[in-house]
Amino acid sequence: MALNPNKDLKQYYSIAEVSEMFSLPASLLRYWEKEFPTIRPKKGANGVRMYTKDDLEEIRLVNSLVKGRNMKLAAARDLIQRNREGAKNSGDLLTRLTSVREQLVAIKKELDALV
């Protein structure tokens, strides 16, 4: 069986892949499963967690709230339950702002190299 070079075509992701994608330890992902009922990976016959794209979106949202905005787990859980779209939009905005900041830092480095 050949490896899938295009990860967008994958239906399921292992906990190791998700851990690497988000730079989070697998133990934290397992803990978040307990704290956030919307993160529910399927488990194979051998007990291996298999995350779907929906699970990845939930992890991204939780990660942006907890790590990006330094929210406590209970506050992040409450925000997601009360206002899912607002929390999602906030997470999206934070992701975009972080990306813009990284681009600006790269541009500054290039300009500094020219001087």
Side-chain angles (χ1 to χ4, degrees), residues 1 5 13 28 30 48 64-65 71 105 107 112 115:
M1 183 172 159
Y13 299 84
L28 182 60
R30 288 190 296 272
V48 174
S64 70
L65 294 174
M71 293 181 82
V105 168
I107 290 169
D112 288 345
V115 177

Side-chain angles (χ1 to χ4, degrees), residues 20-66:
E20 185 178 322
M21 277 183 222
F22 291 98
S23 300
L24 297 170
S27 59
L28 182 60
L29 292 171
R30 288 190 296 272
Y31 180 70
W32 282 357
E33 286 175 33
K34 295 175 189 170
E35 294 296 317
F36 296 91
T38 53
I39 302 173
R40 287 288 164 232
K42 297 185 184 311
K43 292 185 183 172
N46 56 1
V48 174
R49 287 168 169 79
M50 301 306 290
Y51 293 86
T52 63
K53 295 230 183 256
D54 289 339
D55 292 322
L56 296 181
E57 271 303 305
E58 289 298 314
I59 292 167
R60 186 195 61 73
L61 177 59
V62 170
N63 190 41
S64 70
L65 294 174
V66 173

Side-chain angles (χ1 to χ4, degrees), residues 3-5 7 9 13 17 21 25 28 33 36 41 49 56 58 69 78 81 87-88 99-103 110-111 113:
L3 291 176
N4 184 355
K7 288 199 178 232
L9 296 177
Y13 299 84
E17 290 173 312
M21 277 183 222
L28 182 60
E33 286 175 33
F36 296 91
R49 287 168 169 79
L56 296 181
E58 289 298 314
R69 293 184 55 195
D78 289 344
Q81 287 173 350
K88 185 176 182 308
S99 174
V100 168
R101 183 181 188 286
E102 289 170 357
Q103 291 173 1
E110 288 179 22
L111 289 173

Side-chain angles (χ1 to χ4, degrees), residues 4-20:
N4 184 355
N6 187 353
K7 288 199 178 232
D8 288 340
L9 296 177
K10 287 185 73 165
Q11 196 169 18
Y12 296 103
Y13 299 84
S14 71
I15 194 167
E17 290 173 312
V18 176
S19 176
E20 185 178 322

